[in-house]
Amino acid sequence: MEFKDYYATMGVEPNADLKTIKTAYRRLARKYHPDVSTEDDAESKFKELAEAYEVLKDDERRAEYDQIRLHRNDPNFGRQARGDHGGYQQSASWHGGGADAQDFSDFFESMFGGRAAGGHRSASHSHGGHGFRGQDLEMEVPLFLEETLHGQSREISYKLPVYDELGRQVSEASKTLNVKIPAGVGDGERIRLKGQGVAGVGGGQNGDLYLVIRLAPHPLFEIDGHNLSIVAPLAPWEAALGASIEVPTLTGKIALTVPAGSQSGKRLRVKGKGLAGKKEPGDLYVILKVVMPPKPNEKASALWRELAEQAAFNPRAEWE
């Protein structure tokens, strides 16, 4: 008969206190419960976990198991564990009508006569009397950039799975909440709504609902954290002579001075005109781009030729 190391199954040390054991059980039960787990062999792992917890949560059973564990390498271990020598089996100390433990291992049955804790359900459905926490949910909430400047109230609707006392999904329920989205949220930021997720099983706590903020693309602005950038087209003479141009922001247009002799790619910073932030707003970066006019007529071409002669400028001089 194979020895079952319940401490290894629970991932705790043999000297772990009851609080540590309960914490480990709740964490692993949530991970391996067949109705919510994506792990391989979740059902068998959950049964092993339930069996281990059934023993380790009770002081008397744990003491009995610890005695057996000390002698697990004894050549007579198999017979002693079955009570052939009366050395270790103390199933008589189990009181109350034991629940059906048919899902427990042969090792458990050899130790305790196939009896689970008095009055509890079968280990395959038991949650140790503590239940387990409900599943967390996520949903995406789209926002326009302008909406992040001030707090928003939103009505959101979503569906929740409904489980019976054995942890099996039996239906779905619709839920609607009015939520407040604070100013300054960024793309991908998660807002936690405590207890608004899936209901817990067996008296466990509800899960949480997480709102994931998704900022909608803007036709003019690019986002970099809480900063924004915009490309400002310039006529060649505006770049050469300097100009005052109107630049859009999320709150309206502003006047921006372009220095004379500006090159394409130059970045001008406008402080505080980016997205709202938790402490201070981001900035707006205006990226200059010199744009040529359409094909010139004869008169315009003559002016360009005159300019070329007067400027005597070779932009590729460094190649020489």
Side-chain angles (χ1 to χ4, degrees):
M1 178 185 59
E2 180 186 1
F3 175 78
K4 295 282 188 180
D5 191 336
Y6 292 144
Y7 292 108
T9 299
M10 298 284 290
V12 299
E13 296 295 326
N15 60 353
D17 59 19
L18 182 58
K19 181 179 179 181
T20 301
I21 291 171
K22 287 181 178 180
T23 300
Y25 172 75
R26 290 172 181 170
R27 174 176 57 84
L28 293 171
R30 173 67 185 86
K31 180 178 181 181
Y32 292 120
H33 194 281
D35 287 336
V36 296
S37 178
T38 58
E39 299 286 334
D40 293 336
D41 301 325
E43 184 173 358
S44 62
K45 289 178 180 178
F46 183 77
K47 289 178 181 178
E48 291 175 1
L49 177 65
E51 178 179 324
Y53 185 65
E54 198 71 38
V55 173
L56 298 184
K57 71 178 182 178
D58 182 90
D59 289 341
E60 291 185 16
R61 279 169 271 160
R62 183 177 178 183
E64 181 178 348
Y65 170 74
D66 286 344
Q67 287 297 313
I68 295 175
R69 189 173 180 275
L70 288 175
H71 296 274
R72 63 188 182 278
N73 295 321
D74 191 311
N76 293 321
F77 167 73
R79 287 185 294 138
Q80 290 170 327
R82 289 192 298 270
D84 292 347
H85 294 277
Y88 310 127
Q89 193 194 57
Q90 301 176 20
S91 60
S93 64
W94 290 53
H95 300 292
D100 181 9
Q102 60 183 350
D103 288 328
F104 286 172
S105 68
D106 292 341
F107 174 73
F108 180 93
E109 295 185 17
S110 296
M111 284 176 58
F112 303 113
R115 299 177 62 125
H120 288 317
R121 293 191 301 266
S122 167
S124 62
H125 302 302
S126 171
H127 306 293
H130 299 282
F132 67 92
R133 188 175 177 275
Q135 184 179 1
D136 292 339
L137 297 178
E138 278 190 1
M139 66 178 299
E140 294 189 350
V141 178
L143 288 180
F144 293 116
L145 299 190
E146 292 82 357
E147 292 178 309
T148 67
L149 300 181
H150 310 285
Q152 295 287 316
S153 292
R154 280 289 183 89
E155 183 177 273
I156 60 170
S157 298
Y158 57 105
K159 292 187 179 296
L160 289 167
V162 177
Y163 297 99
D164 64 16
E165 63 176 6
L166 301 181
R168 298 172 300 194
Q169 183 174 347
V170 293
S171 63
E172 279 191 333
S174 297
K175 191 168 187 176
T176 299
L177 297 174
N178 286 311
V179 299
K180 294 200 173 194
I181 300 174
V185 292
D187 189 57
E189 188 169 336
R190 299 167 83 231
I191 300 173
R192 178 190 178 208
L193 301 179
K194 185 177 180 181
Q196 299 298 334
V198 179
V201 175
Q205 292 182 340
N206 290 357
D208 300 328
L209 173 64
Y210 288 89
L211 305 182
V212 182
I213 302 300
R214 293 299 178 204
L215 298 183
H218 196 281
L220 296 178
F221 300 106
E222 294 292 331
I223 306 169
D224 181 12
H226 283 85
N227 296 327
L228 297 176
S229 63
I230 185 172
V231 175
L234 292 178
W237 47 89
E238 290 178 319
L241 303 176
S244 177
I245 63 173
E246 281 193 336
V247 176
T249 72
L250 293 178
T251 56
K253 292 183 177 181
I254 60 170
L256 179 67
T257 299
V258 177
S262 292
Q263 302 285 342
S264 277
K266 182 178 179 65
R267 290 162 60 92
L268 302 179
R269 177 188 175 210
V270 183
K271 186 174 175 59
K273 287 298 183 178
L275 296 174
K278 296 295 190 294
K279 295 182 179 179
E280 59 182 6
D283 300 326
L284 172 64
Y285 288 89
V286 180
I287 304 170
L288 304 182
K289 180 181 179 181
V290 178
V291 179
M292 293 297 296
K295 185 177 179 179
N297 56 31
E298 188 58 36
K299 184 176 181 180
S301 294
L303 292 173
W304 281 114
R305 283 192 291 271
E306 182 181 349
L307 174 63
E309 293 172 1
Q310 294 292 330
F313 172 64
N314 180 4
R316 296 168 296 281
E318 63 181 23
W319 290 3
E320 301 175 0

